[in-house]
Amino acid sequence: MTKRLFMKGNEALAMAAIEAGCRYYFGYPITPQSDIPEYMSRELPKLGGEFIQAESEVASINMLLGASATGVRAMTSSSSPGISLKQEGISYMAGAELPGVIVNICRSGPGLGGIDASQADYFQAVKGGGHGGYHIIVLAPASVQEMYDLTMLAFDLADIYRMPAMILGDSVVGQMKEPVVPNKRPERNLPPKDWVVRGKGDGEQRVVKSLYLGDGELEAHNWKLHARYGELKAKEARWEEFMLDDAELVVTAFGSAARIAKSAVMAARDKGLKVGLLRPITLYPFPEKGFRAATDRCKKVLDIELNTGQMVEDVRLSIARDAEVFFYGRPPGAGSLPTPEELLEQITKHYV
Amino acid sequence: MQQVFKKPVSLKDVQTHFCPGCHHGTFHRLVAEAMDEFGVQKRTIGVASVGCSVFLYGYFDIDVVEAPHGRAPAVATGVKRARPDAFVFTYQGDGDLAAIGTSEIIHAANRGEDMTVIFVNNTTYGMTGGQMAPTTLVGQRTSTSPYGRNQGKDGAPIRMAELLAQLEGVAFSARVAVNNPKNLMDAKRQIKKAFRYQAEGKGFSFIEALSSCPTNWGMDPIKANERVGTEMCAYFPLGVFKNAAEF
Ligand SMILES: Cc1ncc(C[n+]2csc(CCOP(=O)(O)OP(=O)(O)O)c2C)c(N)n1
Ligand code: SF4
Ligand SMILES: [Mg+2]
């Protein structure tokens, strides 16, 4: 029988990071993700790793930058206000083509906002977040099992594509407990890290940097990154399809909102409505193909988010031209998590 | 015939972009000599900052990571923790270390990270055209203190070497200058001492290097060199402020 554990999403994520070979963690306390640094501070020393509670999120992302430059697997985690502080470092990592995993257990905003589950950092995560025009890989777990599995995937994708990868969760997937199968680290062909700093020894000097001042150098660098984003789109987009085959209305939602949406979809099916769910698992690269294929058949999409409408912009760009998109969102805050009944009402309204 | 003067092997055989009379180049040389002396070039990872020394990798023949403005001590922390066998140093200006990066330097120092910090204080933001720095002297005119630094409004210049020496995590802290041969020889000794701390795993070592910026001070190299010895040394005394292992 496969071993199953009953644990919190944040702990599953931390456990998966260790299984993926992460031995270096740098963070700063913030609710609702503090279980991650707590877990890492307990477990990493036993494994010969390093845990640092940094002086700020600015420092912790730069520690991640330094550690990643030496080729080790390393991680930082935070929640929205802290992720804002990390943007400078994320931009430098993107520019210097450094892997590294960044976890955002998103809370509500803007400003100090609140600690409730939120998806208001979607734009910040998928559109670059910091300066300079870049992308990072963004994965959106919807269960504790995915908190585990997608974290391992994030480390692999970051190494393969030499770019930062973010897990975008919230307090629902971070704080709830569910059964998890602690899968082994998958075997994967990873490219050799022949770019890391290590002390030059008898070899050539190596430099990890994002400054390119030579004539045409920076433009070429940007086109190179752009091409990599294209490759990522072609190869790594992931999504879940649930009862889509005969659907006359496609509901779409990611992360915790997708859990509630799924309950509403099942309730709609019980009432005889042909409704399905398309759940993006990778937010960047966005599952454009999934949306295109679904809307080639079905012309109505209902997008549900815990914000006032962010992913819906990418949905609109991805669908077939003659499909129609409706949006239902609840901006985050205490008492604003929608119920399945509330979503079922929306489904019924747009199903007609 | 005996060779008495040669280029350190840790330095590349290239011309620098530094202005005539700038002390950055001299400090590069002293750091490279110390690196040669301890035989650490091949296992050194330098962390470059943002300022006139941003091209560290262009002059030192060592592996280098570039840090965002002010963050070099945090980047170096990540490097050193991941590769404790590497020899790690940062090279930062006064705007970089004493303004935007104060948080990172204080906490790296306080943790006692096993690394060396070379802090080049030229009382101005050299790279961006000579604006006021946290180390700009009271009364000093810069492009953003056209009436002279006003202590009442801008505060007094920060003495980083003394400030950091108070932290338990700091093993060695000294201020040096290269404006005359005597000071230069002493600077060389202190940089080597700072390196020895790291080579022997004895903790965080800090060198504040008083430096000239003739271009932004509006002086010729000779006048700028003189200013280091007079105005700067008067406010920023040379000396060793912490030497925990008594090297
Ligand atoms: C976040 C950020 N803010 C501002 C700058 C612009 N900038 C580049 S170098 C510099 C100051 C450099 O002064 P200093 O550290 O004293 O080094 P110096 O050039 O004098 O050696 C500034 C403000 C930047 N690169 N990044
Ligand atoms: S601007 Fe100043 S600090 Fe920069 S190279 Fe010229 S003299 Fe040196
Ligand atoms: Mg300066």
Side-chain angles (χ1 to χ4, degrees):
Chain A
M1 218 180 78
T2 43
K3 185 169 86 167
R4 287 170 99 203
L5 305 169
F6 188 60
M7 64 198 306
K8 267 191 180 184
N10 283 343
E11 288 170 354
L13 178 149
M15 194 180 181
I18 288 174
E19 173 63 22
C22 170
R23 293 292 178 273
Y24 301 88
Y25 173 92
F26 314 100
Y28 186 85
I30 183 169
T31 306
Q33 61 82 55
S34 294
D35 342 47
I36 301 171
E38 284 163 9
Y39 187 100
M40 294 308 239
S41 67
R42 190 174 68 236
E43 298 304 323
L44 284 178
K46 298 180 195 164
L47 299 163
E50 292 277 345
F51 166 88
I52 298 183
Q53 180 166 325
E55 59 271 28
S56 69
E57 289 86 350
V58 175
S60 56
I61 189 74
N62 282 290
M63 292 173 187
L64 177 69
L65 187 159
S68 287
T70 70
V72 300
R73 285 192 158 183
M75 181 170 91
T76 183
S77 66
S78 187
S79 180
S80 311
I83 297 294
S84 290
L85 285 184
K86 290 185 193 295
Q87 294 303 331
E88 177 196 55
I90 297 173
S91 169
Y92 274 74
M93 289 177 71
E97 301 171 76
L98 285 177
V101 172
I102 299 140
V103 179
N104 182 1
I105 303 300
C106 182
R107 54 189 258 178
S108 39
L112 198 50
I115 58 169
D116 304 273
S118 162
Q119 299 185 324
D121 292 358
Y122 177 91
F123 280 152
Q124 187 199 48
V126 307
K127 305 293 179 190
H131 66 281
Y134 64 90
H135 289 285
I136 61 173
I137 295 154
V138 184
L139 307 177
S143 64
V144 174
Q145 184 68 54
E146 278 193 345
M147 286 288 266
Y148 187 96
D149 293 335
L150 294 184
T151 298
M152 288 203 290
L153 178 65
F155 278 100
D156 284 345
L157 292 181
D159 277 349
I160 294 169
Y161 292 92
R162 279 187 64 182
M163 56 197 273
M166 177 178 280
I167 300 288
L168 184 64
D170 60 26
S171 57
V172 172
V173 289
Q175 295 297 328
M176 73 183 175
K177 282 192 169 184
E178 280 183 331
V180 187
V181 180
N183 293 315
K184 285 270 155 268
R185 174 177 172 176
E187 285 197 19
R188 215 185 286 269
N189 262 340
L190 297 172
K193 291 190 172 179
D194 51 8
W195 46 269
V196 306
V197 293
R198 71 298 186 215
K200 72 189 274 281
D202 294 317
E204 289 291 301
Q205 175 193 40
R206 287 186 191 162
V207 180
V208 170
K209 68 177 174 86
S210 60
L211 181 72
Y212 291 96
L213 294 182
D215 201 18
E217 254 184 15
L218 191 53
E219 182 178 0
H221 180 61
N222 270 285
W223 283 122
K224 180 175 96 174
L225 296 181
H226 182 78
R228 198 169 304 159
Y229 303 146
E231 192 189 339
L232 198 62
K233 255 186 210 173
K235 292 189 191 157
E236 306 296 349
R238 288 167 168 78
W239 65 93
E240 178 197 349
E241 294 187 1
F242 178 68
M243 300 193 145
L244 268 191
D245 286 348
D246 63 341
E248 285 171 21
L249 174 73
V250 177
V251 174
T252 184
F254 70 93
S256 57
R259 297 173 67 93
I260 311 170
K262 200 177 212 175
S263 302
V265 164
M266 289 192 287
R269 284 277 171 179
D270 286 346
K271 288 176 61 180
L273 308 183
K274 290 179 179 170
V275 181
L277 178 75
L278 196 164
R279 176 175 69 92
I281 296 171
T282 54
L283 300 181
Y284 194 90
F286 195 69
E288 291 166 5
K289 276 191 221 131
F291 279 97
R292 184 59 208 250
T295 51
D296 277 343
R297 297 187 303 264
C298 167
K299 300 301 173 188
K300 278 187 186 176
V301 180
L302 171 61
D303 174 290
I304 295 167
E305 299 177 52
L306 304 182
N307 57 43
T308 52
Q310 299 192 15
M311 181 176 81
V312 67
E313 293 188 3
D314 289 327
V315 172
R316 287 199 180 106
L317 289 172
S318 307
I319 52 170
R321 227 184 244 186
D322 55 345
E324 211 179 346
V325 179
F326 308 101
F327 173 74
Y328 184 73
R330 293 289 306 267
S336 68
L337 205 61
T339 60
E341 293 72 30
E342 183 181 337
L343 299 188
L344 178 59
E345 213 174 284
Q346 290 300 315
I347 290 171
T348 316
K349 180 174 137 191
H350 294 294
Y351 186 78
V352 198
Chain B
M1 211 167 62
Q2 193 199 354
Q3 189 177 19
V4 292
F5 194 75
K6 62 176 175 24
K7 182 190 73 62
V9 293
S10 301
L11 271 192
K12 294 185 186 175
D13 194 7
V14 293
Q15 265 197 338
T16 74
H17 72 288
F18 299 123
C19 310
C22 177
H23 289 173
H24 263 305
T26 315
F27 285 113
H28 274 38
R29 183 182 171 101
L30 294 186
V31 169
E33 283 177 1
M35 220 175 268
D36 283 5
E37 186 143 321
F38 283 97
V40 292
Q41 177 203 15
K42 292 180 177 179
R43 61 185 179 94
T44 292
I45 300 175
V47 180
S49 65
V50 183
C52 280
S53 55
V54 70
F55 297 122
L56 201 72
Y57 50 81
Y59 307 135
F60 283 89
D61 188 17
I62 55 169
D63 280 6
V64 172
V65 187
E66 163 201 271
H69 194 25
R71 320 296 178 217
V75 172
T77 297
V79 170
K80 187 74 184 192
R81 294 290 183 110
R83 289 281 178 266
D85 50 334
F87 193 86
V88 178
F89 76 100
T90 73
Y91 186 108
Q92 305 172 253
D94 44 343
D96 191 88
L97 181 141
I100 197 168
T102 28
S103 176
E104 286 76 18
I105 186 62
I106 287 189
H107 289 278
N110 195 52
R111 285 189 301 267
E113 297 294 341
D114 219 348
M115 61 171 74
T116 304
V117 172
I118 308 291
F119 166 51
V120 177
N121 173 1
N122 56 10
T123 73
T124 192
Y125 286 63
M127 185 184 229
T128 42
Q131 293 83 8
M132 183 173 68
T135 44
T136 293
L137 294 176
V138 173
Q140 184 181 335
R141 288 170 198 268
T142 69
S143 64
T144 52
S145 58
Y147 308 108
R149 184 186 184 127
N150 175 336
Q151 185 169 345
K153 288 203 290 187
D154 307 319
I158 301 180
R159 295 186 183 98
M160 286 308 295
E162 289 89 331
L163 192 149
L164 291 179
Q166 296 171 31
L167 300 175
E168 289 297 323
V170 174
F172 182 76
S173 175
R175 183 180 292 115
V176 303
V178 292
N179 60 313
N180 61 39
K182 177 179 162 292
N183 284 348
L184 187 137
M185 294 312 287
D186 191 54
K188 188 169 168 169
R189 262 195 303 277
Q190 303 305 346
I191 291 171
K192 280 180 186 160
K193 239 184 246 179
F195 272 38
R196 188 171 159 207
Y197 269 90
Q198 189 179 166
E200 296 185 15
K202 292 228 158 64
F204 185 90
S205 50
F206 184 79
I207 293 284
E208 175 168 344
L210 298 186
S211 190
S212 63
C213 179
T215 303
N216 288 303
W217 295 353
M219 294 177 179
D220 63 40
I222 293 172
K223 279 266 176 318
N225 193 60
E226 276 169 19
R227 179 180 184 252
V228 173
T230 53
E231 287 177 40
M232 283 183 78
C233 285
Y235 187 85
F236 297 111
L238 303 184
V240 176
F241 304 99
K242 183 97 162 255
N243 186 3
E246 298 186 354
F247 285 161

